[in-house]
Amino acid sequence: MLTPPFHLQVLTDLDEVTKVAAESIIQLAQTSISDHGHFTIALAGGSTPKRLYAYLARSDISTQLPWDHLHVFWGDERHVPPAHPDSNFRMAHESLLQHVPIPPDHIHRIRGECPDAAEAAQDYEDTVLAHFQLQPPNIPRFDLILLGMGADGHTASLFPGTEALHETVRLVTSLWVEQLHTHRVTMTPPLLNNAAHILFLVTGEEKAQTLRAVLKGPQDPDRFPCQLIRPSNGEMTWLVDRAAASRLNP
Ligand code: 6PG
């Protein structure tokens, strides 16, 4: 079971999750910029956030975001080139980034094309530290990290039963995901949990049993890696639709 404090909002459907998420992002961006002059966000991959990214690209919405003061990172990436159909960068670029006036050097993608996934992970850790002008063991603090949840309880590319779940020092790591027969590059719990805000987006009936296990079941992070995510000094909100929440007690 996830110990509070976290916020759970059960919304009608993906459309409403999208709209509430967009409002949250705009609000957090404005707060971050008035507080420290910039807004640094890490995007989630997969299919759920695609609707959100397309919504943020709408001219009536995108003009509410301060692109000149906004930097985009990714919570994880597949071990593929940026033009590959599976690339999280490609998905966000096609649905959002190519449609908005974000300076190109504000887009910080994971080099999924690198033949050695471990090298891509080290490169990205260096990129994140350089952006925040920090050296280890200091941990960068993202203003917002978007996350999804797989039906198996994974988040980012922290998959059940993998060594990445137990990483306590590295900020970004690579891993072999036997279930998918591929390497992945992912932010680790130390980096994710240092965020000021974490926003989970979870929709669909196929996630209901797992969402119940994550939020209400016993602590078992090796089986349900989402349970590893709890900001040490920040806020966490789960935006879920009714279908995904259908197994949660009222
Ligand atoms: C990825 C994502 C991953 C995703 C979940 C949920 O690279 O696939 O980062 O963690 O958020 O798998 O994916 P859906 O939104 O497609 O259900």
Side-chain angles (χ1 to χ4, degrees):
M1 177 184 291
L2 273 193
T3 49
F6 69 88
H7 311 286
L8 172 67
Q9 271 192 273
V10 180
L11 302 163
T12 309
D13 53 19
L14 176 57
D15 271 348
E16 194 182 9
V17 165
T18 295
K19 288 189 180 112
V20 173
E23 286 160 12
S24 305
I25 292 169
I26 290 165
Q27 178 59 49
L28 283 171
Q30 289 165 354
T31 307
S32 302
I33 283 169
S34 48
D35 180 61
H36 47 268
H38 55 261
F39 178 58
T40 307
I41 182 174
L43 301 180
S47 56
T48 303
K50 195 169 179 178
R51 182 86 64 92
L52 168 62
Y53 302 158
Y55 185 79
L56 291 172
R58 281 178 27 176
S59 55
D60 58 323
I61 305 295
S62 66
T63 47
Q64 298 179 53
L65 280 165
W67 298 104
D68 278 344
H69 302 280
L70 188 153
H71 284 260
V72 172
F73 292 77
W74 277 259
D76 70 320
E77 185 55 278
R78 287 81 182 280
H79 192 212
V80 296
H84 192 281
D86 290 348
S87 165
N88 287 337
F89 163 80
R90 174 173 164 175
M91 184 272 279
H93 187 257
E94 287 183 341
S95 49
L96 172 59
L97 299 175
Q98 67 182 4
H99 304 291
V100 296
I102 185 170
D105 64 352
H106 285 206
I107 299 173
H108 311 275
R109 68 177 184 86
I110 298 170
R111 290 192 311 117
E113 68 274 23
C114 182
D116 179 354
E119 183 185 325
Q122 184 57 62
D123 170 76
Y124 204 58
E125 178 163 317
D126 296 344
T127 298
V128 171
L129 284 165
H131 174 74
F132 285 89
Q133 297 177 333
L134 290 174
Q135 297 287 334
N138 296 295
I139 303 179
R141 183 171 170 80
F142 280 82
D143 293 307
L144 173 60
I145 297 180
L146 298 180
L147 291 173
M149 185 192 79
D152 63 353
H154 82 265
T155 190
S157 284
L158 298 170
F159 283 85
T162 59
E163 269 316 296
L165 305 184
H166 307 294
E167 181 57 57
T168 57
V169 176
R170 297 292 312 275
L171 303 177
V172 182
T173 193
S174 64
L175 65 155
W176 174 256
V177 184
E178 187 57 35
Q179 304 89 311
L180 301 176
H181 210 66
T182 185
H183 283 100
R184 289 283 189 99
V185 177
T186 187
M187 288 185 181
T188 61
L191 180 56
L192 295 169
N193 286 329
N194 201 44
H197 292 83
I198 287 178
L199 189 59
F200 271 97
L201 309 181
V202 183
T203 62
E205 170 72 34
E206 71 281 5
K207 307 280 179 78
Q209 190 61 37
T210 303
L211 188 64
R212 177 186 171 81
V214 168
L215 299 184
K216 303 275 186 184
Q219 196 66 7
D220 187 1
D222 267 301
R223 197 163 153 225
F224 300 108
C226 282
Q227 290 184 334
L228 290 169
I229 308 303
R230 63 184 75 213
S232 48
N233 175 26
E235 294 198 14
M236 178 162 72
T237 300
W238 290 71
L239 297 182
V240 306
D241 70 358
R242 283 193 192 132
S246 57
R247 303 285 184 93
L248 299 180
N249 297 329

